[in-house]
Amino acid sequence: MPESCNHQNRNDPRQVLRTLAVLAAFISATSSNTAASRKISLSPLEQELVAEINTLRRDPPAYAAMLSARKPFYRGVRVVAAPDNDQNVEVTVEITKEGLPALEEAVAVLRSTHRRARLQLSKRLCRAAGDHLLKQGVAGTMGHPDPDGEAPLARVKSYMPSVRVVGENLSYGRWTAKDVVFHELVDDGVPDRGHRKDLLDPGFESIGVACGYHSVYGIMCVIDLAAEF
């Protein structure tokens, strides 16, 4: 599926500090090899991301209410932050492509979506996601093929030979699990809403995630979803 991107100001000192923190954690987490025998230990962000996706799938209409609460912060294609000072100054935090209609569409879809089965955490999928993170994060590239041209299905099959179907969602520059899931549900600028469809697909059974350093966007998250024969 097409990637979800967020272009942020890389000159912001807070962003630099966050990037350095993620880089340190990334180096620590990936200092050993990624062989199949490597033990997977999820970072707090990765744990939160798996939990957030399963929260969405457990009750899509309830999640619609959380998305709907963001409507007041849209100003055309701009999204603003809640004022935090006496001047009541609105600060633009994001420029979207479609504006409020994309959010409203996502809310409508979630309200009509039934409960989905819980996704089971898969160490094999986490390893496949980690491989993509490692190669793409250092290279600073985007998209589903890694710098060597390997596609998601091939990456997953190397760890899960019996895989029947694979979905991969990518997020760049998003620092919280909620932010990742919210933006993939809205899927602003993605005509087929592929990220949203993957997160809500009843056919997927397992999930693997990897979040860490990206040399351009500071952080990226890889979400691999699969079902086996």
Side-chain angles (χ1 to χ4, degrees):
M1 307 312 307
E3 60 276 7
S4 173
C5 306
N6 180 30
H7 298 269
Q8 299 190 7
N9 181 3
R10 282 173 277 146
N11 293 321
D12 186 340
R14 293 170 299 177
Q15 180 79 351
V16 173
L17 290 175
R18 286 173 179 165
T19 301
L20 291 174
V22 171
L23 176 58
F26 175 75
I27 292 172
S28 174
T30 58
S31 58
S32 59
N33 63 59
T34 57
S37 60
R38 176 173 172 252
K39 182 180 179 181
I40 294 296
S41 178
L42 297 188
S43 70
L45 174 57
E46 291 163 347
Q47 293 176 41
E48 291 167 9
L49 186 52
V50 173
E52 195 71 23
I53 292 170
N54 276 322
T55 295
L56 160 69
R57 289 172 66 91
R58 182 173 64 246
D59 193 348
Y63 217 88
M66 290 192 284
L67 277 186
S68 187
R70 292 192 166 196
K71 289 183 181 181
F73 302 108
Y74 276 75
R75 304 287 186 272
V77 296
R78 295 186 301 121
V79 181
V80 301
D84 60 358
N85 54 51
D86 294 336
Q87 285 76 36
N88 202 35
V89 175
E90 290 184 343
V91 178
T92 300
V93 295
E94 185 170 357
I95 302 295
T96 68
K97 294 181 179 179
E98 301 175 64
L100 191 56
L103 175 69
E104 292 177 328
E105 177 195 309
V107 169
V109 169
L110 290 176
R111 284 176 175 166
S112 63
T113 300
H114 297 296
R115 179 189 180 109
R116 302 305 194 212
R118 180 180 181 83
L119 296 170
Q120 299 302 312
L121 181 64
S122 166
K123 292 183 177 181
R124 294 174 294 171
L125 288 179
C126 286
R127 291 180 182 119
D131 285 353
H132 194 42
L133 169 68
L134 179 61
K135 291 183 180 180
Q136 196 170 85
V138 172
T141 54
M142 296 174 63
H144 297 285
D146 66 23
D148 299 324
E150 189 174 46
L153 180 60
R155 281 195 299 273
V156 171
K157 272 197 167 185
S158 66
Y159 293 104
M160 188 183 282
S162 61
V163 68
R164 173 170 51 85
V165 60
V166 172
E168 182 176 78
N169 285 8
L170 304 175
S171 175
Y172 302 89
R174 306 285 177 190
W175 293 89
T176 69
K178 267 192 168 57
D179 200 28
V180 171
V181 175
F182 279 14
H183 283 84
E184 296 206 334
L185 286 173
V186 175
D187 237 1
D188 177 75
V190 181
D192 67 356
R193 309 302 193 207
H195 297 98
R196 182 197 304 158
K197 290 176 181 177
D198 278 352
L199 294 182
L200 297 174
D201 193 326
F204 288 127
E205 303 165 345
S206 54
I207 184 172
V209 300
C211 297
Y213 172 73
H214 189 278
S215 62
V216 174
Y217 294 103
I219 189 171
M220 69 175 286
C221 287
V222 182
I223 303 168
D224 281 342
L225 307 160
E228 295 180 87
F229 287 106

